[in-house]
Amino acid sequence: MTETTVETTTTDTAIDFLYLSEPDMVAAGVTDMAACVDTMEEMFALLGRGDYRMAGKNSDSHGSMISFPEEPEFPGMPRHTEDRRFMAMPAYLGGAFHSAGVKWYGSNIENKLSGLPRSIHLFVLNDVETGAPRAVMSANLLSAMRTGAIPGVGARLFAPEDSKVVGIVGPGVMARTALQSFVVARPGIELVKVKGRSERGLNIFREWMEREFPQIRVEFVDTNEAAVRDSDIVTYCTTSGGSPENYPVLKREWVKPGAYLAMPSSVSLDDDLISDDVRLVVDNLGLYEAWADEFPYPTYASIPIVGCFFTDRVHEGKLAEERIEDIGRILASGGTERDPDQIVIFSIGGMPVEDVAWATRVYERARTLGIGTSLNLWNTPVLA
């Protein structure tokens, strides 16, 4: 009589994930700007080698957005207002991160009337092999810090090493986190010149500077020109919708030779600022190709990010495509020497791979420190 041996496989089907509230995120180091700048630099090198995926036909899309009509046809449907949208931003990032995730947020400018942020962000970090959630985390600080860290990566590569003066147009949250990263990259900064629109905003910025950087002098100025002139580092961090003719102005004649211009928002450049002696860098060429496909020319009217101004000029035959450099490819190739008198414009569009990178590092630290609340998805799935 022959015995039949039956092999059995035992698997653990239970899935637990970590919930991280905003206080948990702070405790896990989400506001550590120096570590965030290092993480973003590592992320860009992976992008330069191609070890990542985002959404869209070219795997480089910013994300998928729900917007609303000016005059809704159905009762209860939201009406379009400034920044009224829902958006999902998924990505995979390889290398030491080897993580996937998605940032999901709703946005409404009217939130400010009730004391809420304009956008409210949540991030889900997933296991790459199974797709199971590893963490669900509060993401407003995550998003703000990674956004601010990107200008600092550019400053490490392109800002004068002895930078002492920063010019800011638009002193909101984005400007504050960008300044944090500038100080990480160029700790010799002594003066910040600020052009704002409201006394309240300027007061908030002044109080923040007194807490965070009491060693740095702050000067409030009345014009964009005054903020830009004689500055080693310049950033425009405004919120501007509508036509590019209404974007805040930046002229070549104001810009100091060798200045680094970090642009995470809209700005109206004169043509002299895309002349052959100005270096034009973007955070990811594929991102702007995706935007040009999703929002056909003139893209800059729909997506107020300077790199879209560059691609519009390529479309018009006014700029050679090869003039636009990719920071990831620069880093992946080992960097490049900088002409000390060359102006550099760095366009910053924002990408979900940045969220994945910083979320992964914060999650790892939370696990190490025992921070957060473990939640159960299931022990055994009903529909397996």
Side-chain angles (χ1 to χ4, degrees):
M1 182 173 180
T2 304
E3 285 191 11
T4 302
T5 302
V6 179
E7 293 187 5
T8 59
T9 301
T10 301
T11 60
D12 183 1
T13 60
I15 293 177
D16 296 320
F17 61 92
L18 195 64
Y19 170 68
L20 295 168
S21 67
E22 184 166 90
D24 292 335
M25 294 290 283
V26 173
V30 73
T31 59
D32 184 344
M33 181 55 81
C36 192
V37 172
D38 290 342
T39 301
M40 294 303 103
E41 186 169 339
E42 185 180 352
M43 176 274 306
F44 273 131
L46 289 170
L47 262 64
R49 293 195 289 270
D51 193 2
Y52 74 99
R53 304 290 286 181
M54 294 191 289
K57 291 188 293 186
N58 69 346
S59 298
D60 273 305
S61 177
H62 182 73
S64 181
M65 183 172 68
I66 299 171
S67 57
F68 296 97
E70 297 282 352
E71 299 296 335
E73 181 181 353
F74 302 98
M77 179 179 284
R79 182 177 62 83
H80 170 77
T81 59
E82 186 180 356
D83 277 318
R84 188 72 168 101
R85 63 182 180 273
F86 290 94
M87 191 159 194
M89 299 173 62
Y92 161 79
L93 184 63
F97 300 95
H98 191 56
S99 289
V102 60
K103 182 168 71 179
W104 168 250
Y105 70 92
S107 183
N108 186 353
I109 196 70
E110 294 177 4
N111 282 354
K112 294 184 176 182
L113 300 177
S114 56
L116 290 171
R118 181 194 65 189
S119 300
I120 300 174
H121 299 260
L122 190 73
F123 191 84
V124 180
L125 190 68
N126 295 88
D127 181 273
V128 171
E129 305 306 323
T130 66
R134 300 166 70 194
V136 174
M137 55 185 70
S138 169
N140 275 59
L141 287 172
L142 178 86
S143 187
M145 294 303 293
R146 66 80 160 160
T147 298
I150 301 301
V153 177
R156 280 180 171 173
L157 284 175
F158 308 121
E161 291 189 8
D162 61 348
S163 294
K164 291 181 171 56
V165 182
V166 175
I168 291 174
V169 176
V173 171
M174 189 159 50
R176 298 201 296 269
T177 56
L179 180 59
Q180 285 179 301
S181 75
F182 295 149
V183 174
V184 167
R186 296 292 182 259
I189 291 168
E190 299 174 350
L191 170 65
V192 179
K193 296 187 294 178
V194 182
K195 165 64 171 67
R197 290 186 292 189
S198 73
E199 184 175 351
R200 177 178 178 274
L202 293 173
N203 286 336
I204 290 172
F205 188 87
R206 179 191 290 110
E207 292 167 3
W208 176 81
M209 285 293 297
E210 289 172 354
R211 290 194 308 271
E212 298 294 323
F213 301 112
Q215 77 279 14
I216 298 176
R217 186 161 56 91
V218 179
E219 178 183 331
F220 294 133
V221 297
D222 295 327
T223 64
N224 295 357
E225 179 179 355
V228 173
R229 281 198 181 273
D230 300 317
S231 294
D232 303 297
I233 298 171
V234 174
T235 188
Y236 277 43
C237 298
T238 58
T239 53
S240 303
S243 170
E245 286 75 25
N246 297 324
Y247 296 169
V249 172
L250 177 58
K251 295 183 178 182
R252 170 70 180 266
E253 65 191 66
W254 304 344
V255 180
K256 179 180 179 178
Y260 162 60
L261 313 180
M263 296 295 155
S265 68
S266 60
V267 59
S268 178
L269 303 177
D270 65 20
D271 285 338
D272 287 341
L273 276 168
I274 58 168
S275 60
D276 290 345
D277 61 335
V278 177
R279 191 170 186 182
L280 310 178
V281 183
V282 298
D283 42 356
N284 178 8
L285 282 167
L287 173 67
Y288 298 89
E289 291 167 359
W291 267 329
D293 180 61
E294 295 162 0
F295 297 88
Y297 175 85
T299 307
Y300 199 35
S302 301
I303 306 295
I305 302 295
V306 174
C308 294
F309 173 76
F310 299 161
T311 56
D312 280 355
R313 286 295 183 267
V314 171
H315 178 92
E316 295 165 355
K318 296 179 179 178
L319 182 68
E321 190 171 5
E322 57 269 21
R323 288 277 320 284
I324 308 173
E325 298 183 66
D326 185 308
I327 193 172
R329 296 176 191 177
I330 293 171
L331 283 166
S333 66
T336 182
E337 291 189 10
R338 185 197 187 306
D339 179 343
D341 292 323
Q342 186 177 41
I343 296 167
V344 179
I345 301 176
F346 181 31
S347 174
I348 301 161
M351 297 176 286
V353 283
E354 299 161 11
D355 298 297
V356 171
W358 194 222
T360 301
R361 291 289 155 81
V362 174
Y363 166 76
E364 290 168 348
R365 184 165 176 77
R367 288 287 300 264
T368 299
L369 297 176
I371 294 167
T373 302
S374 180
L375 297 177
N376 179 253
L377 188 70
W378 62 54
N379 288 318
T380 302
V382 172
L383 294 178

